[in-house]
Amino acid sequence: KRNPKLFDVMKDVCLILQNFLSNEERRQETIELVTSLNVMPVIIDGMYSNKEMGFLVAACGLLANLAMDEDAKMLISDYSLSMKTLLAVLECANIDAEVAMSTLTILRLLLTDNQENKRKIAEGGGMKTVVDFLTAPREVILAESGLELLAEMINDNANNAEQLKGCGGIQFVTSLMKGKPRSSSLQAVGCRILCSFTTRANPSYGVSAHPLQIEEAEEALKLVLSIMKSHRYNNSVQLESSRALFHFCSVFPNLTTSLDSSILRQSALMVGISSC
C-alpha cells in the first residue's frame, strides 16, 4: 500500500539535499551520494505523477542544482521520463514562478551543446510547450529564460528552427520582444532568433516549409531598428541587432533602400569587430 505521506517525505528529502548542495564543502560528496543511490529517477517519477506545487518547488530546485554537475546531468538526460516530465511541468496550469524558472534552467542545461537532447525535446512537442508557456503573461525573468531556451534549441539545428517557425515564428518572437521592451537580455536573444529565421531562409540551407515573407521582414526590421536606438549603450543588443539587420537585408536586398547608410556602416563595423 502506498504511503499517503510519500510526497511530503520526498519533498523534505529534496530540501535537505538542496541544503547540502549549497554547502561547498559537502557539495561534491552529496552529488556522488545522490548519483550512486539513483535518487534522480525516483524524484522524476514523483514529479510525473504529482503536480502539487510545494513538492515541485523542492524537486525542480534539486534537479536544477544537480544538472550543473556533468555526471548528474548525464543521468538526468539518460532517464527515459526526464524530458516528458519536465515539459509536463511547464504545461501545468497556474505554475509557480520558481518551479517554472527551475524547469527552464534544467532544460537549458540538458540541451546545451547536446543535439540528441534537442531532438528528444523537439520530438516530445517541447517547442510548442515553451511557446505556449511564453504566450501567457510572464515575468520578465521567465520570458528571458524561456526565449533563451528556444534560442539554444534552434542553434545549429535547422529542423528545430523550422518547428519554431511553425509554432508562431517571427510573429511570436516580435510580440514577445515588444511586450518586454526594457529587457536588454530578451531583445538580444530575440534578435538572435530572428537572425536564425533569416539564415534558414537562405537557399543554401534548403527550402523552408515556412518561408519568411517580405511583410514579416519589414515589420521585424522596424523593430530591430527601434531596439538599436532604445538600447544604444548595450553592446550585446547592438551586436545581435546588427547581425539581424544584415541577415534581413541579405535575404531581402530591397529593404536596404529604406535604411540610413550610417546605420548600415555602424552595423557593419559592429559585426566586423565581433568577428575579429
Side-chain angles (χ1 to χ4, degrees):
K1 185 178 179 179
R2 191 163 192 163
N3 183 350
K5 294 186 179 297
L6 174 62
F7 290 109
D8 287 338
V9 174
M10 291 175 66
K11 173 183 172 181
D12 290 342
V13 169
C14 289
L15 292 173
I16 291 169
L17 290 173
Q18 281 194 70
N19 285 333
F20 286 160
L21 288 169
S22 66
N23 184 331
E24 285 302 320
E25 293 182 0
R26 306 189 67 172
R27 181 175 176 81
Q28 193 55 42
E29 176 189 349
T30 303
I31 291 173
E32 291 173 2
L33 177 65
V34 170
T35 54
S36 66
L37 294 177
N38 217 22
V39 170
M40 285 172 286
V42 177
I43 299 299
I44 292 167
D45 285 348
M47 292 167 58
Y48 187 71
S49 60
N50 179 25
K51 300 300 190 294
E52 193 275 318
M53 284 299 149
F55 168 67
L56 288 179
V57 167
C60 291
L62 175 62
L63 290 182
N65 264 291
L66 291 169
M68 289 187 281
D69 176 83
E70 286 301 317
D71 292 334
K73 180 169 72 173
M74 187 176 298
L75 289 175
I76 297 171
S77 174
D78 289 344
Y79 186 53
S80 59
L81 266 183
S82 291
M83 305 304 179
K84 185 176 182 179
T85 299
L86 292 167
L87 293 175
V89 169
L90 278 185
E91 292 171 350
C92 288
N94 301 317
I95 185 172
D96 181 271
E98 188 176 347
V99 171
M101 190 65 195
S102 293
T103 304
L104 291 169
T105 299
I106 298 164
L107 286 168
R108 196 167 67 251
L109 289 170
L110 291 180
L111 60 80
T112 300
D113 299 323
N114 191 315
Q115 293 295 336
E116 177 62 17
N117 282 345
K118 290 180 183 182
R119 181 190 64 78
K120 289 179 184 177
I121 294 173
E123 289 182 354
M127 202 72 73
K128 184 177 185 304
T129 294
V130 177
V131 168
D132 288 346
F133 171 81
L134 292 175
T135 301
R138 301 294 177 191
E139 298 175 19
V140 171
I141 191 170
L142 290 177
E144 291 171 350
S145 184
L147 202 60
E148 186 67 50
L149 176 61
L150 291 176
E152 188 59 44
M153 280 286 290
I154 68 174
N155 183 37
D156 295 326
N157 194 307
N159 289 332
N160 286 353
E162 281 297 302
Q163 271 204 36
L164 183 54
K165 286 181 184 179
C167 291
I170 196 167
Q171 293 90 351
F172 159 73
V173 176
T174 53
S175 292
L176 197 59
M177 293 167 72
K178 291 175 182 176
K180 313 287 184 188
R182 291 189 173 185
S183 171
S184 296
S185 297
L186 190 143
Q187 302 306 321
V189 178
C191 285
R192 198 187 334 150
I193 293 177
L194 293 178
C195 210
S196 178
F197 285 164
T198 56
T199 300
R200 304 307 175 193
N202 190 300
S204 64
Y205 288 88
V207 178
S208 171
H210 307 280
L212 195 65
Q213 302 299 315
I214 182 66
E215 296 82 5
E216 296 176 321
E218 287 177 334
E219 287 303 310
L221 188 59
K222 289 177 184 176
L223 177 60
V224 169
L225 292 171
S226 173
I227 290 167
M228 294 178 82
K229 293 178 181 178
S230 58
H231 293 267
R232 64 172 62 89
Y233 300 116
N234 186 286
N235 289 338
S236 179
V237 173
Q238 290 299 308
L239 174 59
E240 298 299 346
S241 59
S242 294
R243 283 175 172 163
L245 185 151
F246 260 57
H247 277 278
F248 276 114
C249 290
S250 67
V251 176
F252 299 103
N254 289 341
L255 293 178
T256 59
T257 58
S258 62
L259 295 177
D260 189 320
S261 59
S262 63
I263 294 176
L264 289 174
R265 286 196 298 271
Q266 176 185 338
S267 298
L269 179 61
M270 177 68 69
V271 175
I273 290 174
S274 73
S275 302
C276 295

